Every structure is written in C-alpha cells, then in structure tokens.
Amino acid sequence: MNLAEYEVKACPSTIYYVPNFISREEETQILQAVSNAPKPKWTQLSNRRLINYGGIPHPKGMIAETLPRWLDQFVDRINRLDVFEPGTKANHVLVNEYLPGQGIMPHLDGPLFLPTITTISCGSHTVLEYFEQTEGEPTLAAGGPLIRQCVARLLIEPRSLLVVKHDMYHRYLHGIQEQDHDVIDERIVNLVTAEADGGAKFGDVLPRTTRLSLTIRHVPKTTKMKIKLF
C-alpha cells in the first residue's frame, strides 16, 4: 500500500485516511475478541470504557506486556506500513468503546507516545474533529461557551484506518462530540474519499451505534521490570 495516496489534503499536515483497511470478517473477529475480554480488563470512564493492551503507559515507563495473539495480524499490518520511525514497531493497543451519545473532549495524546497514531475503527462510524489549541487563559465570548476554531472534521467509517502525524499530532486538539447521530455536510474534509468508496455522501444523517477503536502505537519508554508508579 502506498499510504501517500490516502493523504487528506484538505487539512493541516498530516492525516491519512484509508477506507476498508480491514474486511468485514476481520471486523467481526475484532468485535468478538473484545466482547470476550474479561470484565476486569476494562477501565470504566464517565464517557466511555477502554482496555490497554501491551501495558499501561506512564511517565516512569510502561511495564511491557505481551499483546494477545488475536491482535498480532492487525499490529503486523500496521508495522508493514512503516509509519513509525525506522526500526520502531507498535507495542501498545488502546481499545476504546463508545456507545451512542458518547464522545471525548478535545485533547492531545501527549509525550508518552511516539508522535504517530494509527486507529482502526469497528462497528459504528463517528466524526472526529480537530481544533486549534487555546493559548493562555480561556476567554468567554459575551458569557457564552469557550470557542475553539475547528480546522478539520473527518468522517471515520467502520473498517477504516486513520494515521495521524506531524502538526496534527502535536499542534491540534482532537475530540468527538457527545451525540447520537452525525449530519454529513461540507465541513467533512474526507467526504470525497468516503463517497468514492461507496460510503456516506453529502446530506446523509448517520445514526451512531456502538463503536470500537483500536489505537495502535509505540510507547518509547518501556521496562520489563516492575516499577513503583505512585
């Protein structure tokens, strides 16, 4: 695969969006494997739940754990794209589960990870938004909510791959609105790619269902020894 062919040109550098990166059968395999995960593996947050595979990232170092075998083929496929630094392979997978109406506040992924993020989506679509960071103290316009400038909105379809690097990793916040449907309009910067692949088109109203995302990345600071985290 020549990843350069999938660069989203209508947003700052650099995002690649690959529709149908995995097959429907592989999507079913992922959904089944995650549904079989023991309940203690899940961390419940207020707006979603998640599983860390490979260890739990920490500033003092991630205690490296072996990834489950069902993830191997997907991690290997990402590694073959050579999106990380030379000689670097993915060693961590974060599984996020979003129910309809759930999302995540705009944020940066930060320095614990190599600044390249790859995400495979399963189940539902979502719309991912990128924002300029707000410098200094937040300012309120006429007593209203904090206003951030949205620089890009991407339709993230089931079975797709998203790769984020450079300024879009370091500079821009990313988040998902807490809503149960999305209106596909002219603000979607990868809409041409979605339409060309037979997916969503301008004017569609897409109800959300349960979405699983597999964020596959590299944690540079790892250890095989137990460390005192607190």
Side-chain angles (χ1 to χ4, degrees), residues 19-230:
N20 292 312
F21 181 73
I22 62 172
S23 67
R24 290 184 182 274
E25 291 75 19
E26 289 169 329
E27 178 185 39
T28 299
Q29 178 185 346
I30 290 171
L31 294 171
Q32 186 62 52
V34 173
S35 72
N36 289 337
K39 190 172 182 179
K41 285 290 294 181
W42 289 98
T43 298
Q44 182 67 56
L45 304 180
S46 60
N47 57 350
R48 69 191 190 285
R49 62 175 185 163
L50 58 84
I51 300 176
N52 282 282
Y53 286 118
I56 299 178
H58 191 274
K60 292 186 177 181
M62 181 179 77
I63 302 174
E65 300 173 353
T66 302
L67 294 171
R69 292 186 63 183
W70 67 266
L71 274 172
D72 286 346
Q73 62 174 310
F74 305 109
V75 173
D76 289 346
R77 197 177 304 178
I78 294 296
N79 285 332
R80 289 197 296 271
L81 295 175
D82 293 326
V83 294
F84 302 111
E85 294 176 355
T88 301
K89 304 294 184 183
N91 62 357
H92 182 263
V93 180
L94 177 66
V95 176
N96 277 299
E97 180 192 70
Y98 296 91
L99 301 179
Q102 293 183 333
I104 186 169
M105 291 290 291
H107 67 285
L108 296 175
D109 285 336
L112 295 183
F113 310 100
L114 191 78
T116 297
I117 295 297
T118 69
T119 301
I120 298 172
S121 291
C122 301
S124 178
H125 81 283
T126 197
V127 170
L128 184 64
E129 298 181 318
Y130 281 85
F131 300 89
E132 290 273 12
Q133 294 189 61
T134 302
E135 297 183 0
E137 292 297 319
T139 58
L140 299 181
L146 176 66
I147 298 174
R148 289 192 177 100
Q149 179 65 39
C150 183
V151 299
R153 302 178 79 238
L154 288 100
L155 173 63
I156 308 299
E157 298 166 295
R159 299 176 296 283
S160 67
L161 171 70
L162 181 73
V163 180
V164 180
K165 300 167 68 75
H166 307 133
D167 277 358
M168 289 302 269
Y169 182 93
H170 292 289
R171 180 176 173 185
Y172 297 99
L173 306 168
H174 60 281
I176 297 171
Q177 292 191 38
E178 295 183 336
Q179 54 194 40
D180 57 14
H181 69 277
D182 295 286
V183 178
I184 306 305
D185 58 24
E186 68 281 355
R187 296 175 296 169
I188 302 293
V189 296
N190 62 329
L191 185 56
V192 172
T193 302
E195 288 182 328
D197 196 59
K201 57 186 182 297
F202 180 81
D204 284 351
V205 178
L206 304 180
R208 292 185 190 176
T209 57
T210 299
R211 173 177 176 257
L212 286 179
S213 65
L214 275 62
T215 299
I216 301 170
R217 51 194 169 183
H218 178 78
V219 178
K221 191 174 182 180
T222 62
T223 177
K224 294 183 180 179
M225 303 295 292
K226 290 188 177 181
I227 56 177
K228 187 176 181 180
L229 300 181
F230 302 100

